[in-house]
């Protein structure tokens, strides 16, 4: 009976040691402090995200890099989304971002990327839309997203589109809508260069609407706003 008890004890001890066994450091990182974390960072920088996650998951909770490893794992879907976005694979980028839960430290960044993707999708749709009314509807959606984006370049690009559409517009209702859009863009920007650009568009089109009092007055009002902003 005693011999059996000792044998069982040995098995239990051996089992515990197996459960707490730490794997060897990956090739090329032997002897490096926090070798799994460093290997994970190296793979991450090479965009080998599957390997990087595998290495980060091997960092023990006792390591000083454990919390950093968790944050690096959370960065992976966002980085994959950025790569997909760079390739204009918007659908794949959105799939990656949908996998970011609310408790991830970079949730706000993921949400901002979603908005950027939505805007870029609308931008592509705008370029392909054959009807003016469809274009106006798309621009309205873009303007709703634009204030939430940090990149002012999007506003400048949209301003160029509005300039082109207004120059070719022959329908009063559509022209009025385009001027309204210019006013909305103007309210979003504090850049003097942007204000001057809007002012030039208004001046360039005012003679075209000499016989359309409502449109002409809307352009005059727009010019007044730009002058006030430039004071």
């Amino acid at each position: 009976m005693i011999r059996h008890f000792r044998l069982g004890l040995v098995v239990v001890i051996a089992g515990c040691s197996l459960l707490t066994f730490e794997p060897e450091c990956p090739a090329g990182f032997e002897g490096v402090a926090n070798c799994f974390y460093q290997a994970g960072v190296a793979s991450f920088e090479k965009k080998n995200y599957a390997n990087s996650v595998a290495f980060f998951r091997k960092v023990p909770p006792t390591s000083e890099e454990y919390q950093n490893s968790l944050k690096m794992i959370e960065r992976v879907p966002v980085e994959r989304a950025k790569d997909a976005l760079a390739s204009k694979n918007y659908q794949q980028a959105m799939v990656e971002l949908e996998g970011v839960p609310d408790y991830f430290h970079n949730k706000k960044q993921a949400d901002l990327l979603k908005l950027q993707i939505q805007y870029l999708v609308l931008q592509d749709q705008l370029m392909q839309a054959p009807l003016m009314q469809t274009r106006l509807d798309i621009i309205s959606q873009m303007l709703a997203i634009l204030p939430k984006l940090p990149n002012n370049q999007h506003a400048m690009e949209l301003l160029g589109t509005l300039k082109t559409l207004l120059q070719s517009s022959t329908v009063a209702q559509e022209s009025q809508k385009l001027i309204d859009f210019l006013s909305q863009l103007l309210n979003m920007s504090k850049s003097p260069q942007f204000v001057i650009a809007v002012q030039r568009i208004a001046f360039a089109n005012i003679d075209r609407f000499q016989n359309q009092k409502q449109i002409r007055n809307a352009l005059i009002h727009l010019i007044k706003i730009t002058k006030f902003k430039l004071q």
Side-chain angles (χ1 to χ4, degrees):
M1 178 65 67
I2 294 175
R3 293 175 63 185
H4 289 169
F5 173 77
R6 288 178 177 173
L7 180 61
L9 183 61
V10 170
V11 171
V12 170
I13 294 173
C16 290
S17 66
L18 287 174
L19 290 174
T20 59
F21 173 73
E22 293 293 340
E24 295 181 359
C25 290
F29 289 86
E30 298 91 348
V32 176
N34 300 302
C35 58
F36 282 112
Y37 177 76
Q38 297 301 332
V41 171
S43 293
F44 185 92
E45 291 175 348
K46 295 176 182 177
K47 299 185 182 297
N48 191 340
Y49 300 121
N51 276 357
S52 70
V53 170
F55 287 134
F56 289 136
R57 290 193 185 282
K58 290 181 180 179
V59 176
T62 55
S63 171
E64 61 183 12
E65 297 291 3
Y66 180 70
Q67 292 298 326
N68 289 333
S69 297
L70 296 180
K71 288 184 178 180
M72 291 298 290
I73 291 173
E74 292 176 1
R75 286 182 59 187
V76 168
V78 173
E79 293 302 317
R80 282 177 171 163
K82 288 180 180 179
D83 293 343
L85 183 58
S87 302
K88 294 190 175 182
N89 189 344
Y90 302 139
Q91 184 176 1
Q92 182 59 39
M94 289 297 286
V95 168
E96 297 290 350
L97 294 172
E98 290 299 333
V100 178
D102 292 339
Y103 59 84
F104 272 23
H105 78 285
N106 53 356
K107 173 63 174 174
K108 289 184 178 179
Q109 183 185 13
D111 290 342
L112 184 60
L113 275 175
K114 285 182 183 179
L115 287 174
Q116 184 178 351
I117 293 168
Q118 291 171 16
Y119 186 89
L120 292 174
V121 169
L122 288 170
Q123 193 175 58
D124 285 352
Q125 292 175 357
L126 178 63
M127 300 302 294
Q128 299 170 12
L131 302 176
M132 176 60 83
Q133 185 56 52
T134 304
R135 292 176 182 173
L136 295 176
D137 291 340
I138 293 172
I139 292 172
S140 181
Q141 295 177 60
M142 293 170 72
L143 285 169
I145 297 175
L146 196 55
K148 303 173 186 177
L149 301 179
N151 189 353
N152 191 51
Q153 183 61 34
H154 293 310
M156 290 300 299
E157 291 172 355
L158 185 55
L159 181 62
T161 300
L162 292 176
K163 175 183 177 181
T164 301
L165 293 177
L166 185 59
Q167 286 173 340
S168 60
S169 176
T170 57
V171 179
Q173 186 177 2
E174 294 173 352
S175 301
Q176 181 65 58
K177 192 67 176 177
L178 290 168
I179 295 171
D180 291 343
F181 288 157
L182 285 171
S183 297
Q184 291 182 49
L185 269 181
L186 189 60
N187 290 333
M188 294 178 195
S189 178
K190 297 180 180 179
S191 166
Q193 291 80 7
F194 192 90
V195 175
I196 291 171
V198 173
Q199 187 181 84
R200 287 174 177 172
I201 293 173
F203 272 121
N205 285 276
I206 198 166
D207 288 342
R208 290 185 56 239
F209 299 101
Q210 190 70 32
N211 299 323
Q212 299 183 49
K213 186 176 180 180
Q214 184 176 355
I215 305 300
R216 188 172 183 275
N217 287 342
L219 287 171
I220 291 173
H221 180 67
L222 188 61
I223 291 170
K224 288 180 179 179
I225 295 174
T226 60
K227 288 182 176 180
F228 176 77
K229 282 181 169 288
L230 291 171
Q231 288 179 353

